[in-house]
Each structure stands twice: as structure tokens, then as C-alpha cells.
Amino acid sequence: MPGPPWWYGRFQDAGYRLTLPRQAILGTLSRTSKHLSAEEIYLSVHRAYPAVGLTTVYRTLELLVRLGIISKFDFGDGRSRYELTTSRQRKHHHHLICSRCGRVIDYTDFIDEETEVLGKIERVLSQKYNFRINNHRLHFYGLCDKCK
Amino acid sequence: MPGPPWWYGRFQDAGYRLTLPRQAILGTLSRTSKHLSAEEIYLSVHRAYPAVGLTTVYRTLELLVRLGIISKFDFGDGRSRYELTTSRQRKHHHHLICSRCGRVIDYTDFIDEETEVLGKIERVLSQKYNFRINNHRLHFYGLCDKCK
DNA sequence: AATGATAATGAAAACCATTTCCAATAAGAA
DNA sequence: TTCTTATTGGAAATGGTTTTCATTATCATT
């Protein structure tokens, strides 16, 4: 039996209300593995709750990013894209991006190996540059099977 | 004695003209190690050549990216940033980005080690997803010494 | 040098994702 | 209920980037 989603608590703790628009937006993001843009999320939410406006979607996304519940990405197509942060449901992964058609493939191969190397790098860079590193992002660019 | 810059040839080969605005833009990018935005480049070029317009800067940057002479980056501050592609003058490097003030630090530590691991990953991912990987980008996010 | 064909340019306008404003509404506390 | 504050939606504003279009520069050919 699945308990309440893991992010329920964070709202109360931070003093925010888990309103219907917010739940709808989180619902949409939970139900997909795609990298949705604000407008795509708006359209999806709008189908079920026509009262919810695009402004609220933007505001909610910003809040969710701030709470660490979702991550914001830029794949170079002029709009930001969002996905649930790594958790039990969402494995840590990186992205393969097709420079031509913009397709994005998630991959989880090598994550352990990567994590080890990157972790080591993070430790030394933190020291050397007196930087507190919170996370990293690794993108591979190229041409997907259809485009090459 | 430094010969002509390495990108001279690429223009002719591709059938483009190495005009004065283009030289000025390349000059600006060659003389800095910063990650300039289109507007910053425009202002710099504009000082020496007031006739050059912002539109031309944007057009030229797009062309230079297409020719592989410069790279376009997004560090999350709402404007694209540009720098010369890796070459004899410009070592391969990655970026440390301060999430708060936006400062960007280039680092070249570990590049060999990284390249080895990433190269291996690239080879396997290319096969598995039938993707032709051309390059990668690794960003570390965190707080710089001033902001933490 | 003059000509012609085409590439390149600049200014203004258009574009478009995202933010801001602001008045109206919803939610929780008292 | 009543009060206080958070949240919301629509319209307008913002701001980086692109498009349009008429003009100008460049190069190859006379």
C-alpha cells in the first residue's frame, strides 16, 4: 500500500499549503517520465482543472524547485523542462540529447561508476575553489538514431 | 610567430566571408576567458566599431556555433553565454556554477581522468542507444566562497 | 574600373517564454 | 464567523532572441 507521496510533508514543514492546483501539477509530473515544459504541464493540468492558470503553473514550478521536489533543466530548445527529483520512484540518471531533433534519452547505466568519479572530483574541487558543491549535471550531445 | 587564427580557414571552406563585424566578434571572444553574453559581446564590439548592430552579433554567434568555432552555454541566468571551443588556446574544461550569484569558475583539474571515464561511457551509450555522441558537458552547481 | 549576383548588415518590429501587477478568492487560525 | 495571510488567475509588462526588409558590402567576372 503506497503511503502519501514523499513530498507531502515538505509543504507543511515549509509553511506552504498543498492546494489543488499544486497537487494537480505534482500529479502530472508524477505520472510521466518525460521532461515536460511549463506549457505542457499547464495543458495537462488544464484538461482536468480548467480553472488553473498558466501563471500558477510557473509559480508552482518555481516553488517545487525551491523545495527540491523537482528539477529544472535546459536542453537548449528555448524552454525550461521539469522532472521529479531523484527519489525512490526516480533513479539518478543523466541525459543524452539529440542536437538535431531535441529528443532526450534518460540513461542510468554507469551511474555508480560515474558517481564515484564525480564524487571524488567534487571533493577536491570543493577544497581547491572553496565551493560548496550541491549537485552536478552531465549531458551528452549528439545525434539520435533517427537523425544521424 | 603566431600564424593566422585557426578558424580563418573554416570560413572560406564553408563559403562564408570573414567580414569586419565577424572578425571583431571573434577578436572579442579571443581576448577574454570570460563567458560573455550576446549583449556583452555587442557592447565590447560596439566600442571599437559603433556601426555593428546587435542583430549581427546574434547572427554571427549562431554561425560560429554552427561552424564549431564557439560554444553556447546556459548557466541559468536567462541569457546564453559563449566561449571559444576547445583548441590549442583553450584547454578542455568544465564549469563550477554558483547557484546564488551566478559566478562561473572554469576548472581543468581531473580532465584526463574524466575524459577517460566519460569516453568509456560514451562508447557504450553510443552502442546501446544507437546515438552518435559528439560532446558532453559537465556542470557542478553549488555556492561559491562569497555566497556560502 | 564597372557590372552583376549574392552574402551580409542594421534598425525596427515581431516573437515568445517567463514575470510582474493587482484585485479577487481560498485556507487556516482565533 | 471573522480576521489574517497565502494563493490564485488574467492581463500587462519584460527581456532575450529572431524575423523582416530594404540597404550595403563583397567577390567573381567582365
Side-chain angles (χ1 to χ4, degrees), chain B residues 66-129:
Chain B
R66 191 143 35 82
L67 293 179
I69 295 170
I70 65 174
S71 302
K72 184 178 186 178
F73 287 88
D74 175 277
F75 294 133
D77 67 340
R79 61 192 62 188
S80 295
R81 296 186 170 273
Y82 302 85
E83 58 174 62
L84 285 187
T85 297
T86 298
S87 68
R88 271 165 300 293
Q89 345 295 325
R90 208 11 146 252
K91 281 192 69 177
H92 184 58
H93 62 273
H94 290 306
H95 297 115
L96 253 60
I97 301 152
C98 180
S99 316
R100 192 155 163 283
C101 73
R103 189 151 73 104
V104 178
I105 295 176
D106 294 4
Y107 76 90
T108 53
D109 313 81
F110 298 108
I111 290 298
D112 292 343
E113 198 170 338
E114 266 180 35
T115 302
E116 193 192 317
V117 177
L118 297 182
K120 190 175 114 194
I121 294 175
E122 284 186 18
R123 280 191 293 282
V124 183
L125 290 180
S126 291
Q127 280 242 327
K128 177 163 179 181
Y129 296 103

Side-chain angles (χ1 to χ4, degrees), chain B residues 4-16 18 26 67 69:
Chain B
W6 64 273
W7 30 258
Y8 257 74
R10 291 217 190 175
F11 271 88
Q12 319 297 350
D13 297 354
Y16 295 108
L18 191 43
L26 272 164
L67 293 179
I69 295 170

Side-chain angles (χ1 to χ4, degrees), chain B residues 17 19 22 51-52 56 59:
Chain B
R17 298 171 185 168
T19 61
R22 287 171 178 175
V52 176
T56 297
R59 266 190 301 235

